[in-house]
């Protein structure tokens, strides 16, 4: 297990370098355009979107907590937890892909329905990930950590670096981020997925685009979640923390 831990630590180093890397030209241009568009939208629109997504996420969090298995054996190794996590990810990727194909085939109306459906799949997956690595989702702090993983996965370069620092230093940072910046949360998420979801609504290709996009969004979220929980798992074990 020492060899596996060393392997994971090397993977974490590479992952953190990737997360801090400058975004590509297309991503930067797209983000700048979306920022300008957001600046032109009336304040009322932003308030409505913020409240809508805030309530949607909170409802999803509550539902996910009820349906998530609460405990796995406490003596599982990091390798065993990683393998269990990969099995969970495989299932959720397939679920998201099927959901994307179904709503994509339905054009604009079902394409709109894809937003809350995919959001609920992602949140449910993160709850499962938390329990796999031994964290208690009944704890409000753990739900806040879940939201930061979500934000880390679906945010722009500047916000991504800021959120990675919070996740890396969670024990020191969690008291400083006692609540989520919901307006920033919803803008980052919408800006991240808007372009691909626009193509999903096109007749003829919506189903293919929806399946491919949702599969890859879950895959990206999976990588982010696994490495975020690996960081905490290793940190807690180094410091002798008891999460049972």
């Amino acid at each position: 297990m020492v060899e596996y831990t060393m392997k994971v630590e090397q993977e974490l180093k590479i992952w953190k370098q990737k997360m801090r890397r400058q975004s590509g030209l297309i991503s930067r241009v797209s983000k700048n355009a979306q920022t300008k568009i957001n600046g032109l939208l009336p304040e009322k629109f932003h308030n409505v979107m913020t409240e809508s997504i805030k309530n949607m996420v909170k409802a999803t969090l509550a539902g996910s907590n009820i349906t998530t298995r609460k405990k796995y054996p406490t003596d599982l190794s990091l390798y065993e937890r990683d393998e269990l996590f990969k099995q969970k990810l495989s299932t959720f990727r397939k679920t998201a892909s099927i959901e994307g194909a179904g709503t994509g085939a339905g054009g604009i109306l079902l394409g709109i329905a894809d937003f809350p459906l995919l959001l609920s799949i992602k949140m449910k997956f993160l709850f499962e990930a938390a329990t796999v690595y031994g964290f208690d989702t009944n704890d409000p702090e753990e739900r806040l950590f879940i939201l930061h993983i979500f934000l880390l996965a679906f945010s722009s370069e500047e916000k991504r670096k800021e959120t990675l620092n919070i996740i890396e230093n969670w024990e020191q940072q969690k008291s400083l981020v006692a609540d989520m910046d919901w307006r920033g949360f919803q803008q980052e998420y919408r800006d991240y997925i808007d372009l691909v979801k626009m193509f999903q609504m096109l007749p003829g290709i919506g189903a293919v685009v929806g399946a491919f996009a949702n599969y890859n969004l879950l895959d990206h979220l999976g990588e982010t979640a696994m490495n975020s929980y690996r960081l905490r798992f290793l940190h807690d074990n180094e410091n002798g923390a008891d999460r049972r």
Side-chain angles (χ1 to χ4, degrees), residues 68-76 81 84 88 128 130-134:
T68 299
R69 175 178 173 176
K70 298 304 179 187
K71 286 188 177 182
Y72 289 90
T74 57
D75 59 349
L76 291 179
R81 293 180 190 276
L84 182 57
K88 297 280 185 183
E128 293 286 347
T131 57
V132 164
Y133 286 96

mmCIF file of all heavy atoms in Angstrom, residues 68-76 81 84 88 128 130-134:
data_model
loop_
_atom_site.group_PDB
_atom_site.id
_atom_site.type_symbol
_atom_site.label_atom_id
_atom_site.label_comp_id
_atom_site.label_asym_id
_atom_site.label_seq_id
_atom_site.Cartn_x
_atom_site.Cartn_y
_atom_site.Cartn_z
ATOM 1 N N THR A 68 -28.480 8.251 -0.315
ATOM 2 C CA THR A 68 -27.088 7.791 -0.372
ATOM 3 C C THR A 68 -26.781 6.819 0.764
ATOM 4 O O THR A 68 -27.144 7.065 1.913
ATOM 5 C CB THR A 68 -26.118 8.980 -0.285
ATOM 6 O OG1 THR A 68 -26.336 9.849 -1.394
ATOM 7 C CG2 THR A 68 -24.664 8.508 -0.315
ATOM 8 N N ARG A 69 -26.122 5.737 0.427
ATOM 9 C CA ARG A 69 -25.650 4.796 1.447
ATOM 10 C C ARG A 69 -24.703 5.529 2.383
ATOM 11 O O ARG A 69 -23.794 6.228 1.936
ATOM 12 C CB ARG A 69 -24.934 3.625 0.769
ATOM 13 C CG ARG A 69 -24.302 2.634 1.747
ATOM 14 C CD ARG A 69 -23.658 1.478 1.009
ATOM 15 N NE ARG A 69 -22.914 0.614 1.916
ATOM 16 C CZ ARG A 69 -22.312 -0.517 1.558
ATOM 17 N NH1 ARG A 69 -22.398 -0.919 0.305
ATOM 18 N NH2 ARG A 69 -21.647 -1.247 2.438
ATOM 19 N N LYS A 70 -24.887 5.357 3.689
ATOM 20 C CA LYS A 70 -24.174 6.188 4.643
ATOM 21 C C LYS A 70 -22.773 5.700 5.007
ATOM 22 O O LYS A 70 -21.899 6.496 5.313
ATOM 23 C CB LYS A 70 -24.996 6.319 5.938
ATOM 24 C CG LYS A 70 -26.344 7.006 5.720
ATOM 25 C CD LYS A 70 -26.179 8.378 5.079
ATOM 26 C CE LYS A 70 -27.512 9.038 4.834
ATOM 27 N NZ LYS A 70 -27.410 10.270 4.069
ATOM 28 N N LYS A 71 -22.551 4.382 4.990
ATOM 29 C CA LYS A 71 -21.263 3.908 5.487
ATOM 30 C C LYS A 71 -20.720 2.742 4.677
ATOM 31 O O LYS A 71 -21.467 1.889 4.198
ATOM 32 C CB LYS A 71 -21.384 3.483 6.957
ATOM 33 C CG LYS A 71 -21.490 4.635 7.940
ATOM 34 C CD LYS A 71 -21.419 4.129 9.374
ATOM 35 C CE LYS A 71 -21.460 5.284 10.366
ATOM 36 N NZ LYS A 71 -21.352 4.823 11.763
ATOM 37 N N TYR A 72 -19.413 2.738 4.554
ATOM 38 C CA TYR A 72 -18.666 1.598 4.056
ATOM 39 C C TYR A 72 -17.715 1.182 5.176
ATOM 40 O O TYR A 72 -17.491 1.955 6.115
ATOM 41 C CB TYR A 72 -17.882 1.974 2.795
ATOM 42 C CG TYR A 72 -18.770 2.202 1.586
ATOM 43 C CD1 TYR A 72 -19.280 3.470 1.299
ATOM 44 C CD2 TYR A 72 -19.112 1.150 0.744
ATOM 45 C CE1 TYR A 72 -20.102 3.679 0.195
ATOM 46 C CE2 TYR A 72 -19.929 1.359 -0.368
ATOM 47 C CZ TYR A 72 -20.423 2.617 -0.624
ATOM 48 O OH TYR A 72 -21.238 2.811 -1.703
ATOM 49 N N PRO A 73 -17.144 -0.011 5.100
ATOM 50 C CA PRO A 73 -16.212 -0.427 6.154
ATOM 51 C C PRO A 73 -15.122 0.624 6.381
ATOM 52 O O PRO A 73 -14.551 1.157 5.428
ATOM 53 C CB PRO A 73 -15.629 -1.729 5.607
ATOM 54 C CG PRO A 73 -16.710 -2.279 4.722
ATOM 55 C CD PRO A 73 -17.362 -1.071 4.098
ATOM 56 N N THR A 74 -14.842 0.931 7.626
ATOM 57 C CA THR A 74 -13.883 1.995 7.942
ATOM 58 C C THR A 74 -12.432 1.601 7.677
ATOM 59 O O THR A 74 -11.560 2.471 7.621
ATOM 60 C CB THR A 74 -14.017 2.413 9.417
ATOM 61 O OG1 THR A 74 -13.812 1.259 10.246
ATOM 62 C CG2 THR A 74 -15.395 2.989 9.679
ATOM 63 N N ASP A 75 -12.175 0.294 7.536
ATOM 64 C CA ASP A 75 -10.793 -0.137 7.357
ATOM 65 C C ASP A 75 -10.394 -0.302 5.888
ATOM 66 O O ASP A 75 -9.335 -0.871 5.582
ATOM 67 C CB ASP A 75 -10.544 -1.453 8.111
ATOM 68 C CG ASP A 75 -11.463 -2.580 7.629
ATOM 69 O OD1 ASP A 75 -12.417 -2.286 6.877
ATOM 70 O OD2 ASP A 75 -11.215 -3.745 8.016
ATOM 71 N N LEU A 76 -11.218 0.197 4.961
ATOM 72 C CA LEU A 76 -10.851 0.110 3.547
ATOM 73 C C LEU A 76 -9.603 0.936 3.271
ATOM 74 O O LEU A 76 -9.460 2.057 3.762
ATOM 75 C CB LEU A 76 -11.997 0.623 2.668
ATOM 76 C CG LEU A 76 -13.280 -0.207 2.596
ATOM 77 C CD1 LEU A 76 -14.299 0.481 1.687
ATOM 78 C CD2 LEU A 76 -12.981 -1.612 2.077
ATOM 79 N N ARG A 81 -10.813 2.024 -1.843
ATOM 80 C CA ARG A 81 -11.759 3.128 -2.014
ATOM 81 C C ARG A 81 -11.712 3.667 -3.449
ATOM 82 O O ARG A 81 -12.748 3.974 -4.040
ATOM 83 C CB ARG A 81 -11.470 4.236 -1.001
ATOM 84 C CG ARG A 81 -11.738 3.821 0.443
ATOM 85 C CD ARG A 81 -11.437 4.944 1.431
ATOM 86 N NE ARG A 81 -11.474 4.471 2.803
ATOM 87 C CZ ARG A 81 -12.573 4.354 3.546
ATOM 88 N NH1 ARG A 81 -13.749 4.668 3.031
ATOM 89 N NH2 ARG A 81 -12.505 3.922 4.799
ATOM 90 N N LEU A 84 -13.575 1.223 -5.680
ATOM 91 C CA LEU A 84 -15.017 1.345 -5.470
ATOM 92 C C LEU A 84 -15.548 2.623 -6.121
ATOM 93 O O LEU A 84 -16.612 2.629 -6.745
ATOM 94 C CB LEU A 84 -15.313 1.351 -3.970
ATOM 95 C CG LEU A 84 -16.783 1.414 -3.543
ATOM 96 C CD1 LEU A 84 -17.578 0.257 -4.149
ATOM 97 C CD2 LEU A 84 -16.875 1.383 -2.018
ATOM 98 N N LYS A 88 -18.459 3.265 -9.145
ATOM 99 C CA LYS A 88 -19.551 4.233 -9.036
ATOM 100 C C LYS A 88 -19.531 5.191 -10.227
ATOM 101 O O LYS A 88 -20.578 5.494 -10.825
ATOM 102 C CB LYS A 88 -19.427 5.036 -7.742
ATOM 103 C CG LYS A 88 -19.539 4.232 -6.472
ATOM 104 C CD LYS A 88 -20.983 3.935 -6.135
ATOM 105 C CE LYS A 88 -21.122 3.243 -4.796
ATOM 106 N NZ LYS A 88 -22.525 2.886 -4.489
ATOM 107 N N GLU A 128 -22.254 10.056 -3.283
ATOM 108 C CA GLU A 128 -21.726 8.692 -3.277
ATOM 109 C C GLU A 128 -20.205 8.701 -3.116
ATOM 110 O O GLU A 128 -19.640 7.889 -2.383
ATOM 111 C CB GLU A 128 -22.120 7.967 -4.570
ATOM 112 C CG GLU A 128 -23.608 7.707 -4.726
ATOM 113 C CD GLU A 128 -24.125 6.587 -3.826
ATOM 114 O OE1 GLU A 128 -23.304 5.844 -3.269
ATOM 115 O OE2 GLU A 128 -25.348 6.458 -3.693
ATOM 116 N N ALA A 130 -18.368 10.959 -1.627
ATOM 117 C CA ALA A 130 -18.023 11.326 -0.250
ATOM 118 C C ALA A 130 -18.082 10.124 0.678
ATOM 119 O O ALA A 130 -17.173 9.899 1.490
ATOM 120 C CB ALA A 130 -18.960 12.427 0.243
ATOM 121 N N THR A 131 -19.132 9.316 0.561
ATOM 122 C CA THR A 131 -19.267 8.166 1.449
ATOM 123 C C THR A 131 -18.233 7.085 1.140
ATOM 124 O O THR A 131 -17.757 6.405 2.046
ATOM 125 C CB THR A 131 -20.680 7.562 1.362
ATOM 126 O OG1 THR A 131 -20.974 7.200 0.006
ATOM 127 C CG2 THR A 131 -21.714 8.562 1.831
ATOM 128 N N VAL A 132 -17.888 6.941 -0.130
ATOM 129 C CA VAL A 132 -16.852 5.970 -0.499
ATOM 130 C C VAL A 132 -15.535 6.279 0.224
ATOM 131 O O VAL A 132 -14.840 5.377 0.704
ATOM 132 C CB VAL A 132 -16.633 5.958 -2.029
ATOM 133 C CG1 VAL A 132 -15.317 5.264 -2.390
ATOM 134 C CG2 VAL A 132 -17.788 5.262 -2.725
ATOM 135 N N TYR A 133 -15.210 7.563 0.326
ATOM 136 C CA TYR A 133 -13.947 7.945 0.971
ATOM 137 C C TYR A 133 -14.097 8.180 2.478
ATOM 138 O O TYR A 133 -13.158 8.647 3.137
ATOM 139 C CB TYR A 133 -13.351 9.173 0.281
ATOM 140 C CG TYR A 133 -12.758 8.822 -1.064
ATOM 141 C CD1 TYR A 133 -13.491 8.999 -2.234
ATOM 142 C CD2 TYR A 133 -11.486 8.262 -1.165
ATOM 143 C CE1 TYR A 133 -12.960 8.634 -3.468
ATOM 144 C CE2 TYR A 133 -10.954 7.901 -2.387
ATOM 145 C CZ TYR A 133 -11.700 8.086 -3.532
ATOM 146 O OH TYR A 133 -11.176 7.722 -4.762
ATOM 147 N N GLY A 134 -15.276 7.839 3.017
ATOM 148 C CA GLY A 134 -15.437 7.832 4.460
ATOM 149 C C GLY A 134 -15.902 9.123 5.093
ATOM 150 O O GLY A 134 -15.738 9.310 6.306
#
